[in-house]
Amino acid sequence: QVQLAESGGGLVQAGGSLRLSCVASRRTFGAAGMGWFRQAPGQEREFVAKIAWSGGFMTTANSVKGRFTISKDNDKNMVYLQMDSLKPEDTAVYYCASYVSTIHSAPAYWGQGTQVTVSS
């Protein structure tokens, strides 16, 4: 079992920045990578970004491309999401996720989520 803990959410004005952090309790053998998803009220959870532990693969959703940047620290089992130029439509609960066997399938583990609220 892998436990994920997010931090860094909060209230920010439109145009501002936040940095989310997620730490994994351990990296399972063969773990593929980490990612971020978000869920706004009344909407389905959507993919935001993901990054492989090795090999340099990373990708972000078109809706946040150019504004959000995912990064990682392998030694600390941590992944970050730098969010710049935030918009009110970015308001959501942001979840950290862990990919175990492959980064190209659904995540195996989820964090509890951290609220991000962007005011206009």
Side-chain angles (χ1 to χ4, degrees):
Q1 185 73 19
V2 175
Q3 293 182 324
L4 306 174
E6 305 98 334
S7 61
L11 174 64
V12 63
Q13 288 188 332
S17 298
L18 282 175
R19 187 194 194 207
L20 304 183
S21 300
C22 174
V23 59
S25 59
R26 64 185 183 94
R27 193 187 316 172
T28 59
F29 179 75
M34 302 281 284
W36 290 96
F37 289 72
R38 67 185 183 184
Q39 187 168 21
Q43 298 186 21
E44 295 187 352
R45 189 173 299 188
E46 66 173 354
F47 166 76
V48 176
K50 59 184 175 182
I51 187 168
W53 283 120
S54 62
F57 174 84
M58 67 176 73
T59 186
T60 55
N62 288 335
S63 59
V64 304
K65 199 175 296 290
R67 300 188 298 120
F68 291 11
T69 304
I70 190 169
S71 62
K72 62 185 174 66
D73 185 327
N74 284 39
D75 292 337
K76 297 180 179 179
N77 290 347
M78 292 195 70
V79 65
Y80 307 96
L81 186 68
Q82 178 65 41
M83 304 185 295
D84 298 318
S85 302
L86 282 161
K87 305 175 181 179
E89 52 263 43
D90 294 318
T91 295
V93 177
Y94 284 71
Y95 296 91
C96 176
S98 173
Y99 297 85
V100 176
S101 57
T102 172
I103 202 170
H104 301 297
S105 63
Y109 301 102
W110 295 88
Q112 294 298 308
T114 185
Q115 177 70 47
V116 172
T117 303
V118 184
S119 62
S120 57

